[in-house]
């Protein structure tokens, strides 16, 4: 089946546009001296035209102000700056406004009676004359507050809030649905990303546009099509009923060409993520880049990056809208980075690939009821920015337990698109990329700068426990086994090196009410188990606190869980006995890619593990979360790495020009802006992830 279409009207438009372009060099449009939108602008290029801070004076950078939220924990927010005011979020998703020149707080909005909270990457600003609004997600609600006061706007939805499930249909009513990423504006519409469960209980991941003024649904695009809709025949006939398949959602954010009225929407995999025997077929529009009419939600074109995904290969970041030279002509293009470490580049209007893409054969599944798709698309250019294969020679040469790593490697299936089964599969690049949610920066010359993770994961499936195997368990332990053990392990010790904390003695760290609310709302990487009733949560909470009364009667727990024949054995990184990656360095990279030619200009290890450098080991690079910013002065600003450093890099060479240690690791994309003639660069410093210390601050740098 074709993955892109070429409507005649858009082909004609493309020809007219191409005929009108007569520039000698490709230059991106736009660029604000503030930072009014997520990742800098509608093109999501992380680019600023500011040039006050440059290579000759960057060494003089100093802290201009630091804002302490007094609310510590991981912060992924890319702050926006409009009319001298900075808007951001805290670790517990409280929204605030600061004076962007001083860091002084103007207001803060906090939801009451919140349990667990999910990490949020920012807010959206909209205005119409004196009506100025900040829109953001809080739990399963889209909220609107007055940008000047932080007070909820009564006329938006119900008392300032509207449900993010409003257009998902009745099956989503009791299911988990939130948003981590700011919405995308088109006129009076805000188009919202969604994060859903990744299990068989997931809601459908439809794309929804809300009216900014009223909160009413304006349009819905169904990513799991209904009968008669394009793509319906790529699923089993009843999949649209959302009984045991959901997802195909866009959680990572979108970009928009407002002049043409096209919104570009990257989607993720269908759920359950790692098994597709109950969703036989290509599965449109999962794992797609969708070009939709921003006014109506109608599909213009699409491209699918992974057919019948069973590897959690969500598209991890908004695409970049660029103008590049292709076959001697300037072309408005859209470039999408992937977890696999590839960049796919398309004509923005028609969806035609600007570099050849090959459908490449890959192995079949060993599971008798899993019909994997026979081929997957691989671009011939640009070259991948992360390694694609690993061999025994690629195991970590510094590991003390290399023999153990070798044994794991030899008993695992290894290679791209190796289907999961009961035998371990070494998935590389891992589930966090390659590219991750921080995405890529692109300068006006069409040069992309992308940081990547180099981490392998060991994944496998097991048979779903039968009723008789669960019969001896208490109600609470049964619920734990079915819902929690996959990440926190049967012994509740978790897997901290892979990001999953221990629940042993949880009662000494948290109270019962907090844990009960967290089960429903989720927190960080953990989705909320909204299908569990208050009565069902009681035995689960009691089991976690070690005081479950087994003899007490209780309803049969887990009765609402949909059935699939396999369970996932958990998210496990391939690590040595010291917690370092099981493969040889680099473990993180930063790459400059010329999108005009597909050539890499440079690639450098990114990030440092200082304890290894002290032993004489060359810088290894490290995992990173958050992206770079590129400015007109030729500088890249980036934190992102677990070493807690904030770096300024020469975009032409990749050389580090200046660096400083942050109060806590900055797992976020910076923002740069100008107020009263002075350029600032600000980064959220929440730490926490990857075992780093917690922080609570936003730090702004400027020249003296």
């Amino acid at each position: 089946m074709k993955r892109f279409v070429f409507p005649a009207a858009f082909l004609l438009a493309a020809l007219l546009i191409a005929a009108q372009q007569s520039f000698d060099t490709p230059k991106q449009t736009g660029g604000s001296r503030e930072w009014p939108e997520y990742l800098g602008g509608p093109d999501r290029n992380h680019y600023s035209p500011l040039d006050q801070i440059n290579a000759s004076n960057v060494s003089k950078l100093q802290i201009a102000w630091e804002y302490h939220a007094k609310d510590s924990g991981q912060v992924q927010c890319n702050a926006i700056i409009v009319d001298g005011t900075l808007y951001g979020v805290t670790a517990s998703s409280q929204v605030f406004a600061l004076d962007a020149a001083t860091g002084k707080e103007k207001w803060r909005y906090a939801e009451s009676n919140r349990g667990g909270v999910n990490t949020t990457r920012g807010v959206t600003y909209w205005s119409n004359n004196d009506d100025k609004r900040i829109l953001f997600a809080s739990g399963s609600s889209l909220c609107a507050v007055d940008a000047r006061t932080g007070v909820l706007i009564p006329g938006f939805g119900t008392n300032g809030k509207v449900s993010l499930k409003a257009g998902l249909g009745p099956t989503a009513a009791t299911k988990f649905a939130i948003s981590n990423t700011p919405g995308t504006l088109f006129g009076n519409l805000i188009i919202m990303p969604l994060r859903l469960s990744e299990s068989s209980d997931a809601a459908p991941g439809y794309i929804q546009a809300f009216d900014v003024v009223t909160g009413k649904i304006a349009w819905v695009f169904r990513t799991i099509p209904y009968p008669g809709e394009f793509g319906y025949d790529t699923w089993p006939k009843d999949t649209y009923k959302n009984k045991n398949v959901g997802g195909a959602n866009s959680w990572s954010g979108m970009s928009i060409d407002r002049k043409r009225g096209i919104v570009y929407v990257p989607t993720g995999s269908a759920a359950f993520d790692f098994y597709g025997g109950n969703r036989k077929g290509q599965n449109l529009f999962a794992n797609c880049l969708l070009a939709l009419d921003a006014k109506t939600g109608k599909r213009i074109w699409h491209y699918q990056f992974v057919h019948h995904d069973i590897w959690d290969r969500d598209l991890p970041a908004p695409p970049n809208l660029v103008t590049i030279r292709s076959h001697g002509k300037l072309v408005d293009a859209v470039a999408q980075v992937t977890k696999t470490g590839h960049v796919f580049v398309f004509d923005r209007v028609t969806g035609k690939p600007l570099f050849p893409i090959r459908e490449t054969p890959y192995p079949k599944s060993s599971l008798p009821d899993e019909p994997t798709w026979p081929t997957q698309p691989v671009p011939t250019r640009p070259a991948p920015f992360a390694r694609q294969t690993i061999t025994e020679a690629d195991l970590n040469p510094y590991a003390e337990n290399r023999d153990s790593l070798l044994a794991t490697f030899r008993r695992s299936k290894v290679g791209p698109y190796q289907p999961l089964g009961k035998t371990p599969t070494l998935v590389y690049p891992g589930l966090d990329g390659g590219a991750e949610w921080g995405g890529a920066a692109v300068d006006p010359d069409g040069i992309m700068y992308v940081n990547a993770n180099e981490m392998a994961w060991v994944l496998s499936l097991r048979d779903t426990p039968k009723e008789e195997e669960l019969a001896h368990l208490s109600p609470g332990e049964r619920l734990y086994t079915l819902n929690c053990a996959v990440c926190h392990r049967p012994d509740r010790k978790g897997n901290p090196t892979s990001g999953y904390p221990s629940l042993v003695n949880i009662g000494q760290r948290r109270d019962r009410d907090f844990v009960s609310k967290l089960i429903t709302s989720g927190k960080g990487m953990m989705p909320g188990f909204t299908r569990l009733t208050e009565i069902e949560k009681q035995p689960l909470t009691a089991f976690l606190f070690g005081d479950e009364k087994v003899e007490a009667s209780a309803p049969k727990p887990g009765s609402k869980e949909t059935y699939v024949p396999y369970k996932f054995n958990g998210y496990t990184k391939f690590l040595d006995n010291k917690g370092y990656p099981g493969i040889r360095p680099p473990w993180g990279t930063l790459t400059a890619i010329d999108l005009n030619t597909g050539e890499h200009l440079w690639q450098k290890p990114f990030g440092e593990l200082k304890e290894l450098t002290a032993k004489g080991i060359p810088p290894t690079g490290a995992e990173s979360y958050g992206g770079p910013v590129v400015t007109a002065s030729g500088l890249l600003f980036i934190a992102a790495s677990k070493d807690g450093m904030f770096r300024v890099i020469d975009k032409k060479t990749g050389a580090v020009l200046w660096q400083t240690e942050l109060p806590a690791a900055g797992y976020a994309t910076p923002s740069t802006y100008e107020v009263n003639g002075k350029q600032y660069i600000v980064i959220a410093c929440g730490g926490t992830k990857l075992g780093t210390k917690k922080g609570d601050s936003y730090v702004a740098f400027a020249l003296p």
Side-chain angles (χ1 to χ4, degrees):
M1 179 174 290
K2 294 182 179 178
R3 288 168 301 282
F4 47 84
V5 294
F6 306 95
F10 284 92
L11 279 173
L12 178 60
L15 292 172
L16 290 173
I17 291 163
Q20 292 170 356
Q21 292 174 324
S22 58
F23 307 106
D24 292 330
T25 57
K27 294 291 181 183
Q28 314 312 321
T29 59
S32 171
R33 301 191 76 79
E34 292 192 299
W35 198 261
E37 296 187 57
Y38 182 57
L39 303 180
D43 52 20
R44 309 307 191 220
N45 280 341
H46 310 211
Y47 173 75
S48 171
L50 297 179
D51 59 3
Q52 184 179 97
I53 302 170
N54 56 51
S56 68
N57 60 25
V58 67
S59 62
K60 299 178 182 178
L61 277 180
Q62 60 186 31
I63 293 177
W65 55 259
E66 183 173 4
Y67 169 70
H68 288 278
K70 300 178 181 177
D71 179 9
S72 64
Q74 186 180 173
V75 183
Q76 298 178 352
C77 178
N78 176 242
I80 62 171
I81 297 89
V82 182
D83 295 335
T85 299
L86 181 149
Y87 301 95
V89 296
T90 71
S92 64
S93 297
Q94 298 179 39
V95 180
F96 60 79
L98 309 178
D99 183 314
T102 66
K104 183 179 179 180
E105 184 176 291
K106 294 184 174 183
W107 56 257
R108 188 191 291 211
Y109 172 84
E111 285 279 272
S112 60
N113 196 31
R114 292 288 305 281
V117 293
N118 288 275
T119 306
T120 303
R121 295 180 185 129
V123 301
T124 303
Y125 176 90
W126 176 89
S127 68
N128 182 23
N129 297 321
D130 289 336
D131 189 354
K132 305 177 188 298
R133 304 184 176 201
I134 293 294
L135 295 107
F136 58 94
S138 179
S140 61
S141 297
L142 173 63
C143 305
V145 298
D146 188 309
R148 292 158 294 195
T149 64
V151 176
L152 287 167
I153 297 174
F156 181 83
T158 302
N159 299 321
K161 301 180 183 180
V162 63
S163 174
L164 287 167
K165 305 176 187 179
L168 303 185
T171 62
T174 60
K175 295 184 176 183
F176 176 73
I178 63 168
S179 181
N180 293 98
T181 309
T184 297
L185 291 174
F186 181 73
N188 284 2
L189 301 181
I190 184 168
I191 307 162
M192 287 302 298
L194 277 182
R195 182 186 168 203
L196 307 173
S197 167
E198 299 187 358
S199 298
S200 57
D201 64 336
Y206 303 157
I207 315 303
Q208 304 171 98
F210 297 84
D211 187 294
V212 172
V213 177
T214 67
K216 293 180 179 179
I217 287 284
W219 56 255
V220 176
F221 178 85
R222 292 194 280 251
T223 54
I224 300 177
Y226 274 41
E229 295 178 343
F230 188 95
Y232 169 73
D233 59 352
T234 67
W235 305 83
K237 66 177 184 177
D238 289 336
T239 305
Y240 74 100
K241 295 180 180 179
N242 189 222
K243 290 183 177 179
N244 57 15
V245 176
N249 53 303
S250 179
W251 58 265
S252 59
M254 309 156 191
S255 56
I256 188 164
D257 183 333
R258 294 198 176 108
K259 181 179 179 181
R260 292 185 173 94
I262 304 175
V263 60
Y264 299 89
V265 183
T267 64
S269 60
F272 169 45
D273 282 3
F274 301 107
Y275 169 76
N278 59 345
R279 50 178 170 88
K280 295 177 174 65
Q282 188 179 346
N283 299 164
L284 294 177
F285 295 94
N287 305 90
C288 286
L289 180 61
L290 287 162
L292 303 179
D293 184 314
K295 185 177 181 180
T296 66
K298 301 295 184 182
R299 180 181 60 90
I300 298 169
W301 60 263
H302 73 276
Y303 187 92
Q304 189 176 52
F305 297 82
V306 184
H307 316 311
H308 189 82
D309 183 14
I310 53 171
W311 301 274
D312 191 24
R313 289 310 198 193
D314 299 348
L315 293 177
N320 298 89
L321 302 187
V322 299
T323 301
I324 60 174
R325 184 166 293 281
S326 177
H327 302 290
K329 296 181 179 180
L330 291 178
V331 178
D332 286 345
V334 54
Q336 178 68 60
V337 295
T338 71
K339 285 184 179 180
T340 59
H342 291 99
V343 186
F344 289 76
V345 188
F346 307 95
D347 183 295
R348 198 187 304 176
V349 177
T350 67
K352 180 181 178 181
L354 298 183
F355 298 101
I357 299 172
R358 293 175 182 162
E359 285 288 341
T360 305
Y362 288 104
K364 294 181 179 180
S365 174
S366 60
L367 301 177
D369 50 355
E370 174 63 271
T372 45
W373 201 261
T375 61
Q376 299 295 344
V378 178
T380 58
R381 280 178 179 263
F385 54 85
R387 285 170 284 185
Q388 296 300 294
T389 59
I390 50 177
T391 66
E392 292 184 5
D394 293 307
L395 298 183
N396 184 352
Y398 309 113
E400 297 175 355
N401 64 328
R402 193 175 187 280
D403 288 347
S404 175
L405 295 177
L406 183 60
T408 299
F409 184 89
R410 287 178 174 174
R411 68 171 177 264
S412 301
K413 293 185 292 183
V414 181
Y417 294 110
Q418 288 284 347
L420 270 62
K422 297 178 183 179
T423 300
T425 299
L426 206 64
V427 176
Y428 184 86
L431 302 189
D432 287 347
E436 38 78 24
W437 54 262
V442 181
D443 69 18
D445 297 316
I447 311 302
M448 171 179 279
Y449 307 90
V450 58
N451 51 308
N453 291 324
E454 297 267 353
M455 175 71 74
W457 295 60
V458 183
L459 309 178
S460 63
L461 302 173
R462 69 183 188 279
D463 291 329
T464 296
K466 295 180 173 60
E467 282 298 321
E468 55 268 26
E469 296 175 298
L470 300 171
H472 69 286
L473 302 179
S474 68
E477 186 175 3
R478 175 193 170 104
L479 280 168
Y480 180 85
T481 300
L482 290 173
N483 298 288
C484 313
V486 62
C487 295
H488 297 286
R489 301 293 172 89
D491 59 7
R492 290 180 279 173
K493 291 183 178 180
N495 188 2
T497 56
S498 293
Y500 302 92
S502 169
L503 299 180
V504 175
N505 298 322
I506 185 67
Q508 297 178 12
R509 305 188 297 279
R510 297 290 188 182
D511 63 43
R512 197 178 301 263
D513 183 59
F514 177 91
V515 171
S516 180
K517 289 178 180 177
L518 185 146
I519 291 169
T520 299
S521 65
K523 185 177 189 295
M525 297 168 65
M526 171 187 159
F529 293 92
T530 54
R531 71 176 183 274
L532 298 180
T533 67
E534 289 300 317
I535 293 176
E536 288 173 323
K537 286 195 300 180
Q538 289 175 13
L540 174 57
T541 305
F543 172 74
L544 292 171
F545 278 72
D547 57 9
E548 183 184 11
K549 295 181 180 180
V550 178
E551 70 276 13
S553 61
K556 181 181 178 181
S559 56
K560 295 181 182 179
E561 184 173 15
T562 54
Y563 176 81
V564 291
Y566 301 98
K567 285 283 188 181
F568 182 49
N569 280 326
Y571 300 90
T572 304
K573 293 180 179 179
F574 182 51
L575 303 173
D576 71 8
N577 61 345
K578 297 292 187 181
Y580 299 118
I583 61 173
R584 69 169 56 250
W587 299 329
T589 60
L590 182 62
T591 307
I593 305 170
D594 188 337
L595 296 179
N596 302 280
T597 65
E599 297 290 336
H600 287 193
L601 302 183
W602 50 260
Q603 184 175 79
K604 304 283 187 179
F606 175 66
E608 181 183 9
L609 299 178
K610 298 174 184 177
E611 69 274 17
L612 297 183
T613 305
K615 295 179 180 179
I617 296 173
T620 59
E623 286 183 275
S624 62
Y625 295 89
V629 163
V630 60
T631 67
S633 58
L635 303 181
L636 294 176
F637 295 85
I638 186 169
S641 179
K642 69 176 293 185
D643 59 20
M645 303 300 290
F646 186 47
R647 294 177 170 88
V648 182
I649 293 169
D650 187 324
K651 76 170 190 177
K652 292 183 178 179
T653 66
V656 176
L657 301 177
W658 178 84
Q659 61 182 342
T660 188
E661 188 168 2
L662 296 169
Y667 297 124
T669 301
S671 309
T672 190
Y673 59 95
E674 183 180 272
V675 178
N676 299 325
K678 181 184 283 284
Q679 182 182 355
Y680 298 82
I681 184 88
V682 64
I683 180 72
C685 306
T688 310
K689 192 176 180 68
L690 301 176
T692 55
K693 67 180 180 180
K694 286 186 177 183
D696 74 336
S697 64
Y698 282 68
V699 180
F701 296 88
L703 296 172

